[in-house]
Amino acid sequence: MPDSSHRRRLLVLAICCMSLLIVSLDNTVLNVALPSMQRDLRATTSGLQWTIDAYTLVLASLLMLAGSTADRIGRKRVFMAGLVVFSVGSLLCSLAPSLSLLIVFRMVQAIGGSMLNPVAMSIITNTFPDARERARAIGVWGAVVGISMAAGPLVGGLLVQSVSWRSIFWINLPVGLAALLLTLRFVPESRAPKARRPDPVGQILVIALFGSLTYAIIEAPEAGPAAVAPFAAIALAALLALLWYEPRRAEPLIDLRFFRSAPFSGATVIAISAFAALGGFLFLSTLYLQNVRGLDALHAGLWMLPMAAPTFLCAPLSGRLVGSRGSRLPLLVAGTAMTASGVLFAAFGAQTSDATRLVGYVLFGIGFGFVNAPITNTAVSGMPRTQAGVAAAVASTSRQLGQTLGVAVIGAVLASGIDSSAYRGTFTAAARPGWWILTVCGLAVLVLGLLTTGRWARRTADRTAETLHSPEVRQAVGAGRAG
């Protein structure tokens, strides 16, 4: 929409950010409510993991399908459908009578959520065609994550403390309804000029890969390696099948040529690493503050502010830096801060002292605030605008997959080391390997941020862009596949 007024573009950005707010808020609010849900629904550690991972897993599995479908049938139409399904899922979650039904309703939420974030990012990409304006818009988008992290624990803690954990799902209903009405009135319809055909085989393989891998990780501590080995084998087979099948399709679910670009591949792995760290960080912190320190939900939420406030403040700064100086500096700041935070907790037991815990939370918030904008900007920059939905969906999928794996792996490590009969006494030692894993995630952000933002990386991005934009190359590739 190059001819749209500046005010209308900002309004479209605000509407898209509303969808991100309810999706992001849902995760941060839920983390504060985990101990209350554990007591009310008599959930185990793996049960708590599934309340988070059932959502992020379905989200990760369907994001690329939602992105390509929106490019094909209309972004506004898919976006509005997502708002409706997400709101209905939220209402069902608030009424869930058991843990198993709560997990099912979280999956309904995720189906709606999969139609929101990547489609909203695609709408933003088409609304802000100028690279500098788009980087600033993405910075605002990242700041909304900070708002959700700041408001989520406080709002969630207040609702859990004064009403019950069920009330945390009610806040999605008015925001979802407002976003729906505003979208209907102000967001223009857009779609890719050439419709992409569905890829049901690729979609099934993605679901099999993500689902079986997550199940194997979460259930391994209780069921044992032998019981989850078949699921690990399914995950490996699905991955190999994807790598074989997708390049042979003229219009695949995900064009693997994207990954020839070092910045794009780096952004994907950075997103997985950063959000794995976030998922694990929130999971460990919430359980420690409430189950070990004995804080109520509201005071545990207040302890999240030292992490959430820097995220909120640093995200727009990161967006401006990406627009003016590129992705390298924000990624280096993010990797350094997240690594330092992990080392504080893993090596120095930062959680056992209020002062060191405060420093660790602030460092993690700074790191996470800087990492979001370069991930998203790299994912969509240089890609054909006709595939903006797919490219944005890859970035969103990487985020959700990272958070899924973070909760699954960190939760499995915690469950394998903790003694339920002496929970408080064994928690800190059982959590230490998890903090080391988060340190490795921070190092991955730092190293990949350095390696994938230099001249060599930019050359690979240019070559990939030429391949994706060139009709002759596409025709040659299609003829080769047909032959």
Side-chain angles (χ1 to χ4, degrees):
M1 320 178 1
D3 298 325
S4 297
S5 68
H6 181 65
R7 182 178 298 178
R8 188 178 183 89
R9 288 200 299 272
L10 292 180
L11 180 59
V12 172
L13 174 62
I15 295 168
C16 291
C17 286
M18 290 174 72
S19 73
L20 175 64
L21 179 64
I22 57 176
V23 173
S24 301
L25 197 65
D26 202 63
N27 275 334
T28 54
V29 167
L30 184 66
N31 271 278
V32 175
L34 287 178
S36 298
M37 294 166 59
Q38 185 176 32
R39 291 189 295 269
D40 192 19
L41 301 177
R42 298 177 182 178
T44 62
T45 299
S46 63
L48 294 181
Q49 289 172 269
W50 279 118
T51 61
I52 298 174
D53 275 358
Y55 177 83
T56 54
L57 177 61
V58 172
L59 206 60
S61 300
L62 298 181
L63 282 170
M64 286 185 288
L65 174 64
S68 59
T69 301
D71 284 345
R72 184 171 63 253
I73 70 173
R75 295 165 184 133
K76 177 179 179 177
R77 181 181 303 176
V78 172
F79 187 70
M80 291 178 64
L83 288 169
V84 172
V85 175
F86 187 87
S87 299
V88 171
S90 298
L91 178 62
L92 292 174
C93 286
S94 72
L95 302 173
S98 65
L99 179 66
S100 57
L101 282 176
L102 176 62
I103 292 171
V104 170
F105 296 151
R106 287 281 287 165
M107 296 171 75
V108 174
Q109 263 192 312
I111 293 173
S114 70
M115 304 181 213
L116 297 180
N117 285 4
V119 180
M121 180 51 63
S122 182
I123 292 172
I124 290 172
T125 302
N126 283 270
T127 302
F128 295 90
D130 178 73
R132 190 178 294 270
E133 279 195 349
R134 184 172 62 242
R136 292 196 185 101
I138 291 172
V140 174
W141 173 269
V144 173
V145 177
I147 293 173
S148 72
M149 291 180 66
L154 287 176
V155 174
L158 184 61
L159 289 174
V160 171
Q161 196 72 15
S162 59
V163 187
S164 77
W165 63 264
R166 298 179 184 278
S167 62
I168 65 175
F169 297 104
W170 298 344
I171 56 179
N172 296 330
L173 303 180
V175 179
L177 178 61
L180 180 65
L181 295 177
L182 290 170
T183 301
L184 183 64
R185 174 67 178 85
F186 294 107
V187 176
E189 184 62 280
S190 65
R191 55 175 58 88
K194 182 180 181 300
R196 291 168 57 83
R197 289 181 295 178
D199 181 9
V201 174
Q203 184 60 59
I204 291 172
L205 289 174
V206 166
I207 293 173
L209 170 60
F210 292 172
S212 55
L213 178 62
T214 304
Y215 182 88
I217 294 172
I218 290 179
E219 298 299 328
E222 293 185 9
V228 300
F231 294 93
I234 291 173
L236 178 60
L239 175 61
L240 294 175
L242 270 172
L243 295 176
W244 177 84
Y245 177 77
E246 289 297 284
R248 286 164 172 76
R249 278 187 59 86
E251 293 179 328
L253 179 69
I254 169 61
D255 194 331
L256 296 181
R257 291 178 298 170
F258 284 4
F259 295 97
R260 296 176 186 174
S261 165
F264 184 89
S265 298
T268 301
V269 180
I270 288 170
I272 293 173
S273 301
F275 278 77
L278 175 67
F281 191 99
L282 292 175
F283 192 78
L284 289 177
S285 296
T286 299
L287 293 181
Y288 176 80
L289 290 171
Q290 295 191 54
N291 288 351
V292 178
R293 293 297 299 272
L295 300 181
D296 57 41
L298 179 58
H299 286 87
L302 287 171
W303 258 108
M304 293 292 107
L305 276 178
M307 178 187 69
T311 298
F312 170 66
L313 295 172
C314 293
L317 174 60
S318 176
R320 287 194 293 271
L321 284 174
V322 170
S324 61
R325 300 185 58 178
S327 298
R328 170 170 281 194
L329 180 58
L331 288 176
L332 295 184
V333 172
T336 301
M338 294 175 76
T339 302
S341 174
V343 170
L344 268 180
F345 285 99
F348 300 102
Q351 68 270 30
T352 59
S353 163
D354 288 349
T356 51
R357 190 186 319 124
L358 177 66
V359 173
Y361 281 15
V362 169
L363 284 172
F364 190 89
I366 292 171
F368 192 74
F370 271 96
V371 82
N372 234 338
I375 290 172
T376 306
N377 192 68
T378 303
V380 299
S381 295
M383 297 297 172
R385 290 179 64 190
T386 57
Q387 297 193 51
V390 179
V394 173
S396 295
T397 298
S398 303
R399 290 181 173 92
Q400 299 303 328
L401 177 60
Q403 195 162 352
T404 301
L405 292 177
V407 173
V409 172
I410 301 302
V413 168
L414 180 66
S416 64
I418 203 164
D419 183 352
S420 57
S421 62
Y423 189 94
R424 292 190 177 188
T426 58
F427 185 95
T428 301
R432 183 166 287 112
W435 289 114
W436 279 118
I437 293 172
L438 300 190
T439 303
V440 172
C441 290
L443 276 173
V445 173
L446 177 61
V447 173
L448 289 172
L450 183 64
L451 294 178
T452 62
T453 55
R455 293 181 180 177
W456 163 79
R458 285 194 293 272
R459 287 197 296 270
T460 67
D462 291 341
R463 288 196 297 268
T464 302
E466 289 175 5
T467 301
L468 292 171
H469 280 282
S470 169
E472 293 79 9
V473 172
R474 286 199 294 270
Q475 290 173 2
V477 171
R481 287 172 182 162

